[in-house]
Amino acid sequence: MPGMTPEGRRVHIARIATSDFEDFDYNYFARVIFMVADVYLKSEKLGSAGEVYVLDGENYRLKHLLKLSPIFAKKIFVCTMDALPIKIKEIHIVNPPFVIDSLIAFIKPFMKEKIFNRLHFHKDVTTLHEYISRDFLPEEYGGTAGKLKLHWDKYLAAFEDFKPWLKEQENIKADESKRPGKTTCYEDCFGLHGSFRSLAVD
């Protein structure tokens, strides 16, 4: 969303556009999320004092959850919390799906405790307004900042300018042989290290 909150934070909104789960692919979903993050970080001029995420669970279904593997979930959280140069200050889940308890039980082992404690759930957008001013929310969430689709269309248009840069990023690889100290391997970053044994999903 455009603008910054009085605390100097940016507000980001993500939702699954449709409840159709047949063609839903977490690989593509993650791809889009990280491309959006890359473009945001590349185009950020002022810098921010942190990021506020609003995640809409209205169209999330049990079959979406069943497509999510523990290994893939850990990859997402490692990349988000350890690789991206962002500070997650708040995560707001609006319209939490009925499978929210199972989803939280699934992802909790992969989240840092301080991030997990910044989760807020809202069955009604009115409680969301207690944390985020309507000025920084689209009309779909009771805000005054216009339609969500309008902002998404503007972002997609901006993506066109970043196409060459995004393609260049595909060729950038880490050369672990040049890393000082112990070489970081795939298992160090993305191995479950016993987490799966303690995973409890009802």
Side-chain angles (χ1 to χ4, degrees):
M1 298 300 294
M4 282 190 180
T5 68
E7 298 82 11
R9 299 172 181 173
R10 298 283 191 190
V11 177
H12 308 268
I13 298 176
R15 67 176 182 178
I16 299 175
T18 173
S19 60
D20 179 15
F21 58 85
E22 294 295 340
D23 295 326
F24 184 82
D25 188 315
Y26 275 104
N27 289 292
Y28 288 113
F29 178 75
R31 181 80 163 178
V32 170
I33 292 296
F34 287 116
M35 285 175 66
V36 168
D38 285 342
V39 170
Y40 160 63
L41 292 168
K42 180 71 172 176
S43 58
E44 177 63 73
K45 303 300 182 184
L46 300 176
S48 73
E51 316 302 322
V52 177
Y53 293 95
V54 178
L55 310 179
D56 191 337
E58 181 178 11
N59 290 320
Y60 198 84
R61 301 290 184 265
L62 175 61
K63 291 192 176 181
H64 287 109
L65 176 59
L66 295 177
K67 286 187 173 186
L68 181 60
S69 72
I71 293 176
F72 188 84
K74 183 165 186 181
K75 287 181 181 180
I76 294 297
F77 284 108
V78 167
C79 291
T80 302
M81 295 184 291
D82 296 331
L84 287 177
I86 59 175
K87 295 180 180 179
I88 302 174
K89 294 297 185 181
E90 300 172 21
I91 302 175
H92 299 274
I93 300 179
V94 298
N95 302 316
F98 78 93
V99 295
I100 189 64
D101 290 338
S102 296
L103 178 60
I104 293 302
F106 188 93
I107 66 175
K108 186 176 180 180
F110 311 120
M111 296 185 73
K112 293 180 179 179
E113 184 177 358
K114 68 176 183 180
I115 301 298
F116 185 81
N117 292 334
R118 293 172 185 174
L119 279 172
H120 305 277
F121 300 91
H122 307 277
K123 293 184 178 180
D124 190 292
V125 293
T126 55
T127 59
L128 179 65
H129 302 156
E130 297 174 9
Y131 295 87
I132 307 173
S133 168
R134 294 170 185 262
D135 297 337
F136 302 98
L137 292 171
E139 294 176 12
E140 291 86 343
Y141 301 98
T144 60
K147 294 287 187 181
L148 186 60
K149 187 178 185 304
L150 176 65
H151 297 292
W152 179 237
D153 288 345
K154 286 182 178 178
Y155 215 87
L156 285 179
F159 259 72
E160 292 296 320
D161 296 332
F162 284 91
K163 266 187 177 180
W165 180 78
L166 286 168
K167 287 182 178 180
E168 288 177 10
Q169 306 314 298
E170 294 294 316
N171 299 320
I172 298 176
K173 308 294 180 184
D175 185 350
E176 291 295 335
S177 67
K178 296 181 179 179
R179 183 186 297 274
K182 181 179 179 292
T183 299
T184 301
C185 68
Y186 183 91
E187 184 65 22
D188 292 332
C189 289
F190 302 121
L192 289 176
H193 300 300
S195 297
F196 187 67
R197 291 196 296 272
S198 62
L199 198 61
V201 181
D202 296 328

